[in-house]
């Protein structure tokens, strides 16, 4: 067969473990079946069919119909039931399954194969009329929603009214006759909304569902999810058709989801939830509150309803054995769906479980220590970008808290923000720069853009495996779910709880680690690298080749960076120092001076200030290299705006305000990014760089004298395009060094080098390396100048570029390896050809981006430099890049 792969009942059509072909779910079902686990028989229509379906204008080839017929025959043979048979009917589930899991993003239809005749057959075969009609109403509701795309609200409403009329609160109180009545109402609803009766032909049902699953691949929510997670559209989804097993066949039946380890904290304990007499969707949808899997978890939570371990000890024992078998087989923590049908266990899914960064670290370190995986594998198991979650603040234990209520600790981290009640508002207010907390009764895939935009997510309903919890953990957003005492009205934009009201725009704080919800903002504290984090970092450091430095310009930044493991400063921008306190007046005086004498007078005032800046930084970074970049931005950025500012400068410079204003006007530039900035400042006003170089060397000698440990300054000239520019600027720096060393009678080692941030510099790197002792790739400007895209204005249109695949990712975030990368590797090559030991690094934002770091490893740079909070991410990414080479 070409597109259909059968599994279960001892049959396997191959493709086992091939996620690209069968999708994650299909591949793992086939694999579980092949290692002897109880998997209901079924077949997978491959992802290749999805691609072809869209290529052919959303049609199926005739050959697929024949293959699917064979697939159904296989299920019939194993189950000894017949699809559409009124006496012994086979029911199937139809589920999507892409290469990577996209939780809640795509469609599922359960109980397919029921119609007015087969429902009677099912009732007889199961000897349970209530169960049969419950299944039928579930099927109609799901099919109407997913396949026919009718308004599901009307169906839910009909069910609510039916329960209300009977005085019931739970679905389980509905009798066979009640369900039967509801089914009639549902069928009428379908006919009314769809214009045709509910399809009775089981084959029509099946093809409708298969089409809907393929169709869901191009749904808006799936597209958004793919964009957020970098999943290419051409991967397609597979469709899995599988014999139904029933968790809703009475009290010896159940359904549940489980993880082989705690996905939130990473502890080695089975973790999960189950519901007696229910179908899988009930657990995920958060309609009924599920029970705990283990006795220990139930006791810890202080919950009453029996755990599965207590309620169904035998099946639980089997399940636990399966957990161990699966973890050993896949050598990773598994996320599992199972169903118990009349005391018989069935496995419906397994996959690598999504986990918080904290859990990822603990699981990787534990598994390496258990000998299940190697240390190298442990390093590769943790997504560097996910570490971000741990590098963020948690609630200050000392801070005052005005606790409103408590829900489930669904995704760790603390967040404060303004309350919003819908995803669109969350997105809007976040885009306007506000921190928001998205508050929902429960979330659904339609909310995904709002969840992404929000700082935190709070729901009133749903367990630890609800949509909100799973998605928030994947995104690294703090989340408190199932805060049941919240009465939320999204319509009136208000939530009520404990006699209090919180309206849209009011501030709430949530703690995803404890589940606490607090009114107002609560202070937070910085994280530290300890425990498993520290261990994994040590292992990473053992294998990485690239050094990791930090972009830091204050002593505090330097301290943070050093604590996070930075091995030096890769970029100390000096311009911000010029704004501090009273310095700005001296800077303005310098800029507006009409001659060198005026500039020198102002620079003399700046020298001691600049020296003390460098002294403070060198003290923190003692013994490590510090790359100090001389002044870079266009001068007009420092100009006065207000009258009072002009007056202040006028007084300091002894000039009149009008002259100053005229000078300021003269400094206006049409295109300042390509204007009088970078080394062009040094070429025209060498005294500026002279002062900065002097400050650097005086500070270095001061620190060396005081601490005995000399820093290693690397003086960096920005925006160089030609050898001659660098030659001139190096002469200025060397002269300053010579003077200071003579004055002080002491020397320090130093280097003079340049940024490579213009295409010309990259091309002429061979010549530039004759002068420069190091290169640091300024990939922010290099991207801007290579692409001809302004880094300050790109946000407006880059989204469209990424959406249409022109650039795979935002090139200012992740290096455009093909274009800008070619310049980097060419410059590295040419620079090395001239000067074999030239030091090469990167200090653009890309230095903290894992994909770009992998590129830096390939090109053989010596170091990457990232913002202090990204240093651990860079350390791990560098280790992974080294291992993958
Ligand atoms: C760069 O251009 O990449 C760089 C690091 O310099 P800046 O961002 O300060 O222009
Ligand atoms: Mg730059």
């Amino acid at each position: 067969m070409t597109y259909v792969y059968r599994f279960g009942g001892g049959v396997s059509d191959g493709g086992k473990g091939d996620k690209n072909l069968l999708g994650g779910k299909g591949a793992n079902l086939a694999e579980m079946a092949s290692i002897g686990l109880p998997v209901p028989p079924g077949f997978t229509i491959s992802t290749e069919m999805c691609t072809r379906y869209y290529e052919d204008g959303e049609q199926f080839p005739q050959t697929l119909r024949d293959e699917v017929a064979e697939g159904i025959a296989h299920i019939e043979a194993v189950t000894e039931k017949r699809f559409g048979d009124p006496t012994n009917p086979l029911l199937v589930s139809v589920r999507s399954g892409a290469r990577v899991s996209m939780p809640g993003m795509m469609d599922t239809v359960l109980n397919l194969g029921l119609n007015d005749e087969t429902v009677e057959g099912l009732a007889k075969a199961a000897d349970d009329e209530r169960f049969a009609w419950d299944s039928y109403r579930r099927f109609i509701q799901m099919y109407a929603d997913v396949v026919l795309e009718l308004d599901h609200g009307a169906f839910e409403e009909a069910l609510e009214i039916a329960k209300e009329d009977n005085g019931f609160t739970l679905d389980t109180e509905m009798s066979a006759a009640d369900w039967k009545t509801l089914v009639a109402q549902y069928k009428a609803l379908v006919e009314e909304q769809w214009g045709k009766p509910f399809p009775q032909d089981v084959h029509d049902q099946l093809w409708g569902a298969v089409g809907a699953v393929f169709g869901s691949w191009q749904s808006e929510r799936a597209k958004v999810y793919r964009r957020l997670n970098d999943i290419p559209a051409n991967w397609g989804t597979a469709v899995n058709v599988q014999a139904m097993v029933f968790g809703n066949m009475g009290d010896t039946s159940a359904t549940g989801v489980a993880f082989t380890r705690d996905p939130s904290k990473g502890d080695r304990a089975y973790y999960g939830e189950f519901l007696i007499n229910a179908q899988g969707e009930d657990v995920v949808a958060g309609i009924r509150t599920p029970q705990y899997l283990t006795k220990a978890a139930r006791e810890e939570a202080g919950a009453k309803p029996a755990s599965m371990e207590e309620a169904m000890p035998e099946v639980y024992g089997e399940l636990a054995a399966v957990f161990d078998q699966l973890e050993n087989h896949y050598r990773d923590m598994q996320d599992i769906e199972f169903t118990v049908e009349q005391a018989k266990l069935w496995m419906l899914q397994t996959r690598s479980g999504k986990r918080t960064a904290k859990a990822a670290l603990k699981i990787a370190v534990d598994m390496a220590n258990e000998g299940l995986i190697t240390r190298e594998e442990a390093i590769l198991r943790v997504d560097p970008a996910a570490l971000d979650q741990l590098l963020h603040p948690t609630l200050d234990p000392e801070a005052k808290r005005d606790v409103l209520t408590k829900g489930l600790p669904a995704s760790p981290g603390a967040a404060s923000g303004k309350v919003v009640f819908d995803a669109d508002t969350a997105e809007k207010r976040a885009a306007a720069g506000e921190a928001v907390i998205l508050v929902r009764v429960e979330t659904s895939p339609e909310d995904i853009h709002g969840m992404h935009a929000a700082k935190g997510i709070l729901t009133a309903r749903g367990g630890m495996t609800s949509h909100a919890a799973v998605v928030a953990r994947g995104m690294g957003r703090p989340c408190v779910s199932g805060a049941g005492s919240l009465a939320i009205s999204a319509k009136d934009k208000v939530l009520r709880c404990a006699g209090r009201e919180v309206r849209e725009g009011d501030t709430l704080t949530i703690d995803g680690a404890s589940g606490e919800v607090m009114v107002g903002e609560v202070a937070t504290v910085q994280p530290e690298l300890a425990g498993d984090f520290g261990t994994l970092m040590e292992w990473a450091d053992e294998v990485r080749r690239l050094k990791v430095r930090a972009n830091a310009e204050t002593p505090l930044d330097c301290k943070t960076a050093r604590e996070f493991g930075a091995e030096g400063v890769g970029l100390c921008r000096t311009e911000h120092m010029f704004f501090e306190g009273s310095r700005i007046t001296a800077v303005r005086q310098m800029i507006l001076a009409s001659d060198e004498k005026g500039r020198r007078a102002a620079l003399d005032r700046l020298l001691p200030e600049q020296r003390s800046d460098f002294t403070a930084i060198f003290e923190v970074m003692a013994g490590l290299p510090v790359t100090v970049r001389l002044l870079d931005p266009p001068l007009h950025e420092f100009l006065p705006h207000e009258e009072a500012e002009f007056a202040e400068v006028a007084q300091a410079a002894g000039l009149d305000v009008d002259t100053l204003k005229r000078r300021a006007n003269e400094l206006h530039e049409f295109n300042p990014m390509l204007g009088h900035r970078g080394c062009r400042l040094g070429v025209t006003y060498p005294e500026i760089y002279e002062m900065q170089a002097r400050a650097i060397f005086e500070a270095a000698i001061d620190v060396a004298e005081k601490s005995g440990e000399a820093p290693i300054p690397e003086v960096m000239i920005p925006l160089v395009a030609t050898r001659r520019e660098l030659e001139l600027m190096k002469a200025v720096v060397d002269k300053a060094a010579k003077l200071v060393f003579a004055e002080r009678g002491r020397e320090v080692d130093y280097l003079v080098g340049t940024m490579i941030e213009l295409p010309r510099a990259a091309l002429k790197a061979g010549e530039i390396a004759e002068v420069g002792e190091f290169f640091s790739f300024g990939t922010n400007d290099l991207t801007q100048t290579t692409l001809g895209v302004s880094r300050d204005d790109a946000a407006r249109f880059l989204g469209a570029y990424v959406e249409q695949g022109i650039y795979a990712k935002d090139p200012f975030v992740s290096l455009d390896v093909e274009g800008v990368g070619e310049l980097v590797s060419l410059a590295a090559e040419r620079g090395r050809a001239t000067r074999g030991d030239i030091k090469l690094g990167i200090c653009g934002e890309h230095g903290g981006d894992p994909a770009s770091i992998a590129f830096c490893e390939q090109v053989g740079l010596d170091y990457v430099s990232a913002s202090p909070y990204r240093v651990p991410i860079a350390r791990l990414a560098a280790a992974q890049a080294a291992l993958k080479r």
Side-chain angles (χ1 to χ4, degrees):
M1 295 206 271
T2 322
Y3 293 114
V4 167
Y5 296 80
R6 297 167 301 173
F7 58 82
V11 173
S12 168
D13 283 336
K16 174 172 88 81
D18 186 350
K19 293 193 176 144
N20 296 357
L21 182 70
L22 301 180
K25 188 188 279 269
N28 288 336
L29 281 170
E31 197 155 338
M32 279 200 292
S34 77
I35 59 172
L37 294 181
V39 174
F43 61 89
T44 302
I45 308 176
S46 74
T47 56
E48 288 173 352
M49 184 62 238
C50 184
T51 312
R52 177 157 174 199
Y53 174 76
Y54 281 105
E55 278 169 6
D56 291 356
E58 304 186 22
Q59 287 194 39
F60 300 112
Q62 179 56 43
T63 51
L64 182 71
R65 297 191 183 265
D66 302 337
E67 290 187 35
V68 165
E70 272 187 64
I72 291 286
H74 159 65
I75 307 179
E76 288 176 338
V78 179
T79 57
E80 297 178 344
K81 295 176 183 168
R82 293 268 165 282
F83 195 44
D85 183 347
T87 54
N88 187 22
L90 166 68
L91 305 195
V92 296
S93 64
V94 179
R95 299 175 202 253
S96 62
R99 281 191 211 185
V100 290
S101 85
M102 298 167 62
M105 280 304 114
M106 297 185 23
D107 289 335
T108 291
V109 181
L110 301 181
N111 305 307
L112 189 140
L114 279 173
N115 59 26
D116 295 348
E117 288 187 335
T118 55
V119 68
E120 304 282 3
L122 182 68
K124 277 215 193 74
D127 193 19
D128 188 343
E129 219 185 344
R130 183 191 177 281
F131 150 73
W133 286 93
D134 176 26
S135 302
Y136 195 19
R137 68 90 194 178
R138 286 170 186 270
F139 172 51
I140 300 174
Q141 185 171 0
M142 232 178 199
Y143 199 89
D145 178 18
V146 169
V147 182
L148 307 179
E149 297 182 337
L150 307 182
D151 168 28
H152 59 255
F155 291 82
E156 271 156 33
E157 207 176 334
L159 172 57
E160 284 311 311
I161 291 172
K163 284 200 289 192
E164 243 173 67
D165 287 351
N166 286 306
F168 299 156
T169 49
L170 294 174
D171 290 3
T172 41
E173 293 170 85
M174 296 277 281
S175 69
D178 298 330
W179 286 132
K180 215 176 207 168
T181 313
L182 191 69
V183 162
Q185 286 173 9
Y186 275 8
K187 287 200 309 186
L189 272 174
V190 169
E191 194 155 355
E192 184 186 306
Q193 289 190 28
W194 194 42
K196 281 187 275 183
F198 186 80
Q200 292 291 314
D201 183 311
V202 295
H203 295 280
D204 287 350
Q205 292 175 356
L206 178 62
W207 286 101
V210 171
V213 171
F214 282 146
S216 67
W217 180 252
Q218 293 294 8
S219 68
E220 274 318 304
R221 65 188 196 206
K223 285 186 196 167
V224 170
Y225 189 90
R226 286 204 291 272
R227 199 175 63 231
L228 295 177
N229 293 280
D230 291 323
I231 299 171
N234 66 7
W235 279 6
T237 181
V239 181
N240 300 292
V241 179
Q242 196 178 16
M244 280 296 298
V245 286
F246 299 97
N248 56 334
M249 262 192 167
D251 287 345
T252 56
S253 301
T255 184
V257 293
F259 293 84
T260 53
R261 304 191 186 210
D262 181 337
S264 188
K265 298 203 184 89
D267 292 341
R268 194 176 183 186
Y270 307 134
Y271 179 97
E273 300 169 326
F274 84 117
L275 277 174
I276 292 177
N277 197 10
Q279 281 198 346
E281 269 24 48
D282 302 344
V283 181
V284 184
I287 295 166
R288 275 163 61 191
T289 298
Q291 292 155 242
Y292 288 91
L293 206 65
T294 63
K295 182 164 176 260
R298 178 188 67 75
E299 284 172 350
E300 198 190 313
K304 290 228 170 60
S307 66
M308 183 171 177
E309 190 175 1
E310 295 156 303
M312 303 182 156
E314 233 162 87
V315 190
Y316 173 81
E318 274 172 56
L319 185 62
V322 170
F323 289 166
D324 294 347
Q325 192 181 346
L326 283 173
E327 208 177 69
N328 280 321
H329 181 76
Y330 287 100
R331 302 165 67 242
D332 195 7
M333 185 266 269
Q334 296 294 297
D335 166 357
I336 288 160
E337 284 178 22
F338 63 90
T339 281
V340 180
E341 181 183 295
Q342 298 188 325
K344 161 118 182 78
L345 175 68
W346 291 99
M347 304 308 299
L348 299 186
Q349 171 163 300
T350 191
R351 61 186 176 198
S352 278
K354 285 198 191 293
R355 60 205 81 179
T356 62
K358 186 179 158 82
L361 280 169
K362 176 151 178 55
I363 290 170
V365 170
D366 282 355
M367 284 188 169
N369 288 337
E370 288 158 24
L372 192 59
I373 59 176
T374 63
R375 281 189 180 182
E376 281 77 16
E377 284 173 303
I379 292 167
L380 291 167
R381 283 284 170 87
V382 178
D383 173 11
L387 295 182
D388 207 25
Q389 286 179 34
L390 300 178
L391 297 169
H392 284 302
T394 48
L395 286 185
D396 180 352
E398 306 291 311
K400 265 223 188 95
R401 303 172 187 204
D402 175 5
V403 178
L404 183 67
T405 183
K406 201 168 167 188
L408 298 171
S411 178
S416 298
K418 303 221 163 104
V419 168
V420 296
F421 292 97
D422 66 278
D424 289 343
T425 311
E427 195 176 52
K428 249 184 251 136
R429 293 184 83 147
E434 286 182 73
V436 300
I437 302 287
L438 178 62
V439 180
R440 305 282 290 156
V441 174
E442 59 194 326
T443 64
S444 76
E446 277 84 33
D447 294 324
I448 194 110
H449 59 293
M451 298 173 76
H452 192 73
K455 289 273 183 267
I457 297 143
L458 170 63
T459 70
R461 255 198 254 164
M464 294 292 282
T465 51
S466 64
H467 179 266
V470 170
V471 173
R473 280 201 292 271
M475 284 180 175
R477 294 288 177 287
C479 175
V480 172
S481 71
S485 62
L486 297 179
I488 297 171
S489 168
K491 197 167 96 268
D492 301 330
K493 299 182 190 274
V494 63
L495 72 82
R496 296 188 177 83
C497 180
R500 300 170 74 173
E501 264 187 17
V502 178
R503 300 197 161 266
E504 184 173 291
D506 292 349
T507 300
L508 279 186
T509 297
I510 61 168
D511 182 0
S514 69
E516 275 180 349
V517 179
M518 290 141 283
V519 175
E521 194 172 331
V522 180
T524 52
V525 288
Q526 296 302 323
E528 54 181 311
L529 297 195
D532 300 314
F533 201 156
T535 305
L536 196 83
M537 282 293 138
E538 269 171 37
W539 295 352
D541 288 348
E542 279 164 25
V543 301
R544 82 183 145 88
R545 183 195 62 81
L546 277 168
K547 296 255 181 220
V548 176
R549 297 197 194 179
N551 291 359
E553 57 193 36
T554 65
L556 183 67
D557 281 354
C558 291
K559 204 165 151 280
T560 308
R562 226 183 154 156
E563 277 161 13
F564 282 161
E567 297 162 293
V569 168
L571 174 63
C572 172
R573 293 179 169 103
T574 48
E575 46 268 22
H576 294 144
M577 300 171 175
F578 278 31
F579 280 100
E580 252 165 50
S582 62
R583 300 173 191 191
I584 186 66
T585 307
V587 172
R588 286 170 175 161
Q589 186 187 339
M590 171 198 62
I591 296 170
L592 296 171
S594 52
D595 56 12
E596 186 182 327
K597 191 164 149 270
R599 276 192 296 279
R600 283 199 183 274
L603 286 165
D604 285 346
R605 285 180 52 199
L606 285 169
L607 175 66
E609 310 256 21
Q610 183 95 91
R611 186 175 50 224
S612 73
D613 291 335
F614 295 141
T615 305
I617 287 172
F618 289 154
E619 275 170 356
V620 179
M621 300 308 287
L624 297 175
V626 177
T627 307
V628 181
R629 179 178 73 186
L630 303 188
L631 196 64
D632 179 51
L635 288 183
H636 80 110
E637 284 188 12
F638 300 102
L639 284 179
H641 305 284
E642 319 273 318
E643 279 299 323
E645 291 171 347
F646 273 108
E648 202 176 329
V649 181
Q651 205 200 2
L655 290 168
D656 64 283
V657 169
D658 286 343
T659 313
L660 281 185
K661 284 190 174 162
R662 209 171 333 110
R663 270 290 290 156
N665 252 337
E666 284 164 17
L667 283 169
H668 171 80
E669 291 183 304
F670 285 102
N671 214 338
M673 265 296 180
L674 301 177
H676 196 187
R677 59 168 287 214
C679 66
R680 299 156 200 174
L681 299 172
V683 168
T684 46
Y685 306 137
E687 54 278 8
I688 301 177
Y689 282 9
E690 189 187 307
M691 179 281 286
Q692 290 196 290
R694 172 171 275 278
I696 292 169
F697 296 120
E698 288 181 352
I701 291 178
D702 284 348
V703 173
E705 279 175 356
K706 215 166 99 191
S707 71
E709 200 170 17
I712 311 160
E714 300 183 350
V715 183
M716 181 153 78
I717 313 297
L719 218 72
V720 161
T722 70
R723 178 189 189 278
R724 181 69 179 145
E725 284 169 318
L726 185 59
E727 196 172 47
L728 288 169
M729 295 304 99
K730 183 167 187 298
V732 171
V733 176
D734 286 339
K735 190 173 156 207
K738 220 168 145 190
L739 282 171
V740 174
F741 295 165
E743 285 162 22
R744 301 291 295 265
R746 182 172 182 145
E747 300 196 359
V748 290
D749 289 334
Y750 71 98
L751 299 176
V752 181
T754 180
M755 299 193 69
I756 300 286
E757 48 185 346
L758 293 174
R760 192 187 195 284
L763 294 169
K764 304 308 286 178
E767 280 179 16
I768 292 172
E770 289 167 12
V771 183
E773 294 162 310
F774 66 87
F775 289 168
S776 177
F777 290 96
T779 45
N780 302 332
D781 272 309
L782 191 59
T783 299
Q784 162 164 274
T785 50
T786 302
L787 274 49
V789 169
S790 157
R791 55 197 269 197
D792 302 310
D793 304 306
R796 269 183 230 160
F797 55 86
L798 263 186
Y801 265 61
V802 173
E803 220 150 87
Q804 294 175 56
I806 299 170
Y807 293 118
K809 287 188 197 161
D810 180 338
F812 289 102
V813 174
S814 196
L815 194 76
D816 161 36
V817 168
E818 271 174 41
V820 179
E822 186 165 342
L823 283 173
V824 171
S825 71
L826 181 142
E829 205 176 291
R830 293 186 180 174
R832 275 200 205 102
T834 300
R835 187 187 287 269
D837 64 346
I838 191 166
K839 207 186 241 193
L840 301 173
I842 181 173
C843 64
E845 282 306 300
H846 306 92
D849 168 62
S852 312
I853 292 170
F855 170 78
C856 296
E857 170 68 30
Q858 264 168 26
V859 183
L861 300 191
D862 297 301
Y863 68 86
V864 298
S865 189
S867 64
Y869 280 96
R870 295 194 76 84
V871 165
I873 297 174
R875 285 163 69 192
L876 182 57
Q880 294 186 347
L883 287 174
K884 283 181 189 155
R885 272 197 96 171

